[in-house]
Amino acid sequence: MTSRLRLLSVPLALTVVLVPVGSALAASDGSADHVPPTLQLTGPPADPDTATVLRPGANGGVTPVPVAHLRLARLDADGSALLVGGSPPGGPQSTAQQPRPGDVIVGPATGATPHGALVKVTAVHPGTDGSTAVDTVPATLVDALGDAGADLTVPLTAADISVKPSSAGGKVNTSAGQSSSPGVSFDVDVPMPPGVEPTPGHGTALHAQVDFHPELLFSYQRAHWYGVAPSKAEIGLAGDYSHSVQVHAQGSAAYDTGHQPLHIPAAEVNVDKTVWLGPVPIVLNLKVDYFYDVSADGKITVDAEEHTQGRLQVGARYDANGGWSALSSPAPTSHGSSSRISGTATAKAGIGSHIALGLYGSVGVAADTQPYLKATVGAQNAPDAPNTPNTPNTPNAQANWALYGGLDITGSFFAKLNIFGTTVLDKDWQLPPLSQEWKLAEGSTA
């Protein structure tokens, strides 16, 4: 869809002049011996709402254009209108330029444009009132960055994390983006299906604690003499986490909740994070929803606890030789305690997160990650009576039980990852599911 930007005169008090950072986006000379510049994180400009105009060159480089007092003022929901401010009356005009077709306008995340903007100018229409209307189409990072390289791991700060408030749910303590430990944590009693009750001496059947400290991953590498698309790219989420589950539940019927949302204050996290590579604002979007999933296939009583620590990495990585692939997480460490399991069934309890990652409001990667605790118990003959029918009610029968920790990860890529200048597919690409499971404890009861 073509959109139209309008350059308007705005008061000087509301604007600052965009100062180009020429060294941050140096042009390549087109030689394979010339290494494209490495872009480093810089602080935001004096006016953090400042947008940037970039002019791609024939040699693969990109040059900032000194368009004075440029800011994005409004982005309509359908993307059809984007207003920007121009040079104020009486302001300095000697170095200011007008955008022209082929220029790229990149805007940060602001109150007016919460997901930022990345568009290319297709036509310029000067107005009689001194304003200029600019038609645009969506741009890619190749248009904005050209020949360059960047490899970023950006921890989120307290100010980055926005938690959707909610009054529903049970007892919960939450802390989101605390300055001493930026991240999201909660301590919650998880709802259980009808017919499931706490075991004697416990107030809740399922209790969980989650603590996660997210970091956004971004990388880009391109040299035009190797191809028009990047040679490498990456978008992802990483972070250290700890996860504990205490199950003290007894039930006599089979049940399966499926994925159910956790209705607690920290169960929806939204981030629109702008990082500056020289004069170029890169807007990373993150949304995290938490859910629970519990099931059992028969009568079972579980008194068990587990604690897991690990580092999560979800997202997508591109390599020109191999295409897109999924990021992988290292195996976590886990231990269980206070295990007492009886019955003749399998029960599973998990607290998971649905993660959506994107750039400039275009979601590119989605993943569900679910650490869980699983208890299994089944009857078999006692060693001294191999021919006794193996039912749990016979005197010589015993029940062998086991406790497992596990992690399930499922996900998908989206065609909108072509914001990197590469096409994934013309539809969603479901990633192969990843499941890890390890035994925490085992035993038997007569």
Side-chain angles (χ1 to χ4, degrees), residues 167-414:
S167 59
K171 181 180 67 176
V172 62
N173 295 315
T174 64
S175 59
Q178 291 184 349
S179 57
S180 60
S181 181
V184 177
S185 62
F186 58 82
D187 186 333
V188 60
D189 295 331
V190 181
M192 294 293 285
V196 181
E197 299 178 349
T199 56
H202 297 93
T204 60
L206 176 59
H207 189 86
Q209 298 93 37
V210 175
D211 190 16
F212 181 46
H213 305 275
E215 303 168 345
L216 294 174
L217 307 177
F218 173 84
S219 68
Y220 171 93
Q221 183 175 328
R222 189 250 193 179
H224 74 280
W225 53 85
Y226 294 131
V228 295
S231 56
K232 294 182 180 180
E234 180 178 283
I235 178 174
L237 172 72
D240 297 327
Y241 71 89
S242 62
H243 175 275
S244 298
V245 174
Q246 297 89 44
V247 182
H248 300 285
Q250 54 187 0
S252 59
Y255 56 87
D256 188 346
T257 67
H259 283 16
Q260 297 293 327
L262 271 173
H263 294 293
I264 60 175
E268 183 175 320
V269 177
N270 296 281
V271 173
D272 290 292
K273 172 76 170 180
T274 299
V275 297
W276 293 81
L277 294 176
V280 182
I282 306 294
V283 183
L284 297 153
N285 315 120
L286 169 66
K287 182 175 182 180
V288 182
D289 299 302
Y290 291 92
F291 61 85
Y292 67 91
D293 193 338
V294 296
S295 63
D297 57 16
K299 182 178 180 179
I300 189 169
T301 298
V302 180
D303 281 300
E305 301 181 2
E306 68 86 26
H307 182 74
T308 299
Q309 290 182 306
R311 181 168 179 82
L312 179 68
Q313 289 190 156
V314 296
R317 176 184 290 121
Y318 176 80
D319 183 274
N321 295 322
W324 286 98
S325 61
L327 300 181
S328 59
S329 299
T333 59
S334 184
H335 66 271
S337 60
S338 305
S339 301
R340 183 180 68 86
I341 304 168
S342 62
T344 54
T346 297
K348 184 177 178 181
I351 308 297
S353 56
H354 176 74
I355 300 166
L357 295 154
L359 292 161
Y360 302 99
S362 295
V363 175
V365 182
D368 282 357
T369 64
Q370 181 180 341
Y372 64 83
L373 182 68
K374 185 176 78 174
T376 64
V377 58
Q380 71 172 29
N381 293 337
D384 59 348
N387 297 320
T388 302
N390 57 343
T391 62
N393 295 321
T394 58
N396 293 323
Q398 65 182 17
N400 287 354
W401 59 264
L403 183 68
Y404 300 87
L407 176 66
D408 290 336
I409 300 179
T410 58
S412 60
F413 300 161
F414 295 87

Side-chain angles (χ1 to χ4, degrees), residues 18-26 39-40 42-43 45 52 54 62-65 276-280:
L18 173 64
V19 179
V21 184
S23 60
L25 290 173
L39 305 181
Q40 303 292 338
T42 64
T52 300
L54 303 164
V62 177
T63 303
V65 178
W276 293 81
L277 294 176
V280 182

Side-chain angles (χ1 to χ4, degrees), residues 83-150:
L83 302 182
V84 299
S87 299
Q93 304 292 328
S94 58
T95 61
Q97 302 179 29
Q98 290 291 332
R100 68 189 188 192
D103 288 351
V104 178
I105 298 179
V106 190
T110 68
T113 57
H115 303 309
L118 178 61
V119 293
K120 182 186 293 186
V121 177
T122 59
V124 179
H125 309 285
T128 57
D129 59 353
S131 66
T132 304
V134 183
D135 297 335
T136 67
V137 295
T140 70
L141 284 172
V142 172
D143 298 321
L145 298 179
D147 287 354

Side-chain angles (χ1 to χ4, degrees), residues 70-96:
L70 178 65
R71 65 165 58 204
L72 303 172
R74 192 185 79 240
L75 177 61
D76 290 347
D78 62 0
S80 61
L82 185 64
L83 302 182
V84 299
S87 299
Q93 304 292 328
S94 58
T95 61

